[in-house]
Amino acid sequence: EAGVTQFPSHSVIEKGQTVTLRCDPISGHDNLYWYRRVMGKEIKFLLHFVKESKQDESGMPNNRFLAERTGGTYSTLKVQPAELEDSGVYFCASSQDLGRISSEQYFGPGTRLTVT
Amino acid sequence: QQQVKQSPQSLIVQKGGIPIINCAYENTAFDYFPWYQQFPGKGPALLIAIRPDVSEKKEGRFTISFNKSAKQFSLHIMDSQPGDSATYFCAASTNAGGTSYGKLTFGQGTILTVHP
């Protein structure tokens, strides 16, 4: 069974440019989460999809970040325009939907974003 | 405001030693406490998890000890091996209240090195 995949693995862009990160969850997983780790700090929650709906986007830093999940399958996270403080590793995770119960989240390898 | 505090930041032990990583939390609504292991270039992978109705859980060489009254939990690795060298993250989540469920609040991570 394929795990969670993320693309690209690395991205280096200049301040003010736009970047789109993609996540393909494990097939059949309705829950999809985005997290971010800024260097040396904890991994922080960004948002949670259940199928194609945004369940919780309380962790999104500001309106420069836009997340979508087309048809409840893959998800994209767009940063526009990128700022220096957006640099970090962006993780995607997916889990089965067991109702309102925490279940194991499977993480992708992450996308390392560097804004110069 | 960091809701889960993890210590130490780094830990070096000899093969066969028993590294212990500690976490403390503030939110009494947390009801799921997983530990994740991350190797370089990979995403975090679930190692072991506990719910607050038990004080200890063991899986292979990995044990979680949980102290609900102190709001603390810890990871013990028995007979540690060089292959256990990785970054370890504690985390917590709650399903109580609001629209959010499953989102993980992470500690800052502990870099463990096990010397041969």
Side-chain angles (χ1 to χ4, degrees):
Chain A
E1 177 184 290
V4 177
T5 58
Q6 292 186 245
F7 182 83
S9 57
H10 293 86
S11 180
V12 181
I13 61 172
E14 293 183 352
K15 176 182 173 181
Q17 290 185 322
T18 297
V19 63
T20 300
L21 314 181
R22 173 169 170 145
C23 168
D24 286 80
I26 292 173
S27 176
H29 282 192
D30 288 338
N31 290 309
L32 188 149
Y33 301 84
W34 282 97
Y35 295 88
R36 176 176 73 174
R37 189 183 191 201
V38 172
M39 184 184 296
K41 300 201 171 182
E42 70 271 24
I43 300 170
K44 281 195 170 180
F45 167 83
L46 296 178
L47 88 158
H48 171 203
F49 284 100
V50 178
K51 297 183 180 177
E52 68 277 5
S53 300
K54 291 178 185 174
Q55 179 72 22
D56 180 357
E57 51 184 332
S58 62
M60 294 288 263
N62 50 60
N63 59 11
R64 295 186 293 102
F65 289 74
L66 175 64
E68 295 179 326
R69 189 177 183 193
T70 306
T73 56
Y74 70 92
S75 174
T76 58
L77 180 64
K78 181 161 73 173
V79 185
Q80 180 183 30
E83 298 289 345
L84 298 178
E85 64 265 25
D86 301 333
S87 296
V89 181
Y90 289 76
F91 292 106
C92 173
S94 70
S95 71
Q96 291 182 312
D97 192 19
L98 303 178
R100 295 183 61 88
I101 298 174
S102 295
S103 61
E104 178 175 357
Q105 293 184 27
Y106 296 83
F107 280 75
T111 293
R112 182 175 297 276
L113 174 64
T114 303
V115 183
T116 62
Chain B
Q1 179 192 11
Q2 186 181 355
Q3 293 194 56
V4 178
K5 294 185 178 180
Q6 182 173 345
S7 63
Q9 289 188 333
S10 62
L11 187 54
I12 300 174
V13 300
Q14 292 295 125
K15 177 182 174 182
I18 306 176
I20 300 173
I21 304 171
N22 299 297
C23 285
Y25 62 95
E26 299 167 6
N27 186 350
T28 55
F30 285 145
D31 57 9
Y32 175 69
F33 302 89
W35 283 89
Y36 281 82
Q37 179 188 56
Q38 184 184 20
F39 292 106
K42 305 287 187 182
L46 180 67
L47 193 60
I48 185 172
I50 197 169
R51 297 189 189 270
D53 52 342
V54 297
S55 60
E56 184 176 282
K57 183 174 181 180
K58 185 178 295 187
E59 287 185 5
R61 295 184 294 107
F62 302 92
T63 299
I64 299 179
S65 296
F66 183 79
N67 185 330
K68 187 174 181 178
S69 61
K71 294 186 286 185
Q72 295 176 346
F73 58 111
S74 60
L75 176 70
H76 301 231
I77 305 175
M78 310 300 288
D79 187 28
S80 59
Q81 302 296 312
D84 296 329
S85 298
T87 300
Y88 292 81
F89 294 95
C90 64
S93 71
T94 177
N95 298 317
T99 59
S100 177
Y101 64 93
K103 79 175 184 184
L104 295 169
T105 299
F106 283 89
Q108 285 193 302
T110 296
I111 301 172
L112 172 66
T113 303
V114 181
H115 286 312

